[in-house]
Amino acid sequence: MPVIGVFDSGFGGLTVLRALLPLIPNAHYIYLGDTARLPYGAKSQATIARYAVESARFLADQGCDHLVIACNTATALALPEIKAAVAIPVIGVIEPVVAAAHAALLRATPTPTQDPSSQPSSAPVSTNRPPDHDLPTPQILVLATNATVQSHAYFQASQNHHLHATEKATPLLVPLIEEGWTNHPVTRQVLSIYLAEALGTCTPQAILLGCTHYPLIASEIESTLRKLNSSATIIDSAQATAAAVAQQVAQANPPSTPHRPATFLCYATDSTEKFRRLGSTFLGQPIPSVNLLDLGG
Ligand code: DGL
């Protein structure tokens, strides 16, 4: 049975674990939320890399065979350092979500010789289709923390997939979500301001949720977009990452029978009671117990 480590600065990575549990059963998951040092999104590259490497080493020492960096900020600023620090395969959230956006936009874009009505929507799509220089570069908007935006990791990954990314820092959203204000007028107002600002500078076909907290307010983001007359598709990093992890795990571990539901164990570096209470919302199911972990300052 594969053991899969899932790391985030806090609770948001539980949205990735939530997507992983049904997708890769017959696996044991060890989740670490570095809640004592959250938020990473307002910290420097050196600090984020130090925190993320300590957490990754802990998970590797627990016997994990695969490591998922379910944190956009740690992926954007510390993926090379994390990969160098552990001897197991590491997957971050940025590449899978940008690849998913590329695939979704290709599906939505007819080729110049193709009449959209002649192609069934379930037709297989090659994600390796070269850029078509007659077509404008598809535009995407990435919502993320300050640190992720300043790293331009999404801009670079998007360029590799022939997409043009506008990156918008939305730092107030993490504290609002942590407060449980996922369906709250203040969150809607903050979203309206951020999205109106961003849509004043670009007309995206897709919006990437570049922070693992944001799937919790995906429906609020969608309704705010529609109010602002944007028809952009929302690409969820949790689903995209889980699909990429499933592919990697399937290559390394042939499917085993009988089918057993996935199991998981959680560690947090701050209040286990708060992790259990808030984390259950992110995971979509109760978290029976949480272990307290001291990773130092
Ligand atoms: N988990 C972080 C991310 O996905 C958001 C929370 C933080 O700033 O630590 O970017």
Side-chain angles (χ1 to χ4, degrees), residues 7-13 31 34 37-43 69-76 93 143-148 154 171 174-175 178 209-214 237:
F7 164 66
D8 181 35
S9 56
F11 308 94
Y31 182 93
D34 191 8
R37 305 190 287 195
L38 175 96
Y40 281 18
K43 296 193 168 66
I69 306 302
C71 174
N72 284 269
T73 307
T75 302
V93 276
L143 307 179
T145 63
N146 271 320
T148 299
Y154 268 99
V174 167
E178 294 261 329
L209 305 188
C211 171
T212 45
H213 279 62
Y214 300 170
S237 57

Side-chain angles (χ1 to χ4, degrees), residues 221-232:
I221 294 173
E222 179 152 35
S223 56
T224 308
L225 283 171
R226 303 303 169 247
K227 277 188 201 137
L228 294 168
N229 297 320
S230 167
S231 57

Side-chain angles (χ1 to χ4, degrees), residues 10 18 32 38 68 108 114 121-122 124-125 148 160 207 221 225 229:
R18 181 181 189 158
L32 167 57
L38 175 96
V68 185
Q114 182 185 319
S121 60
S122 59
V125 172
T148 299
N160 297 341
I207 309 274
I221 294 173
L225 283 171
N229 297 320

Side-chain angles (χ1 to χ4, degrees), residues 29-115:
Y29 294 85
I30 305 178
Y31 182 93
L32 167 57
D34 191 8
T35 43
R37 305 190 287 195
L38 175 96
Y40 281 18
K43 296 193 168 66
S44 69
Q45 193 277 335
T47 300
I48 293 164
R50 180 163 62 86
Y51 289 173
V53 162
E54 284 170 6
S55 301
R57 285 203 176 116
F58 170 79
L59 287 168
D61 289 347
Q62 301 309 298
C64 292
D65 310 304
H66 302 268
L67 179 57
V68 185
I69 306 302
C71 174
N72 284 269
T73 307
T75 302
L77 287 109
L79 197 58
E81 286 90 340
I82 296 168
K83 284 184 171 170
V86 295
I88 53 175
V90 179
I91 195 161
V93 276
I94 294 180
E95 179 57 31
V97 72
V98 174
H102 174 79
L105 292 177
L106 268 189
R107 274 195 295 275
T109 310
T111 58
T113 52
Q114 182 185 319
D115 172 358

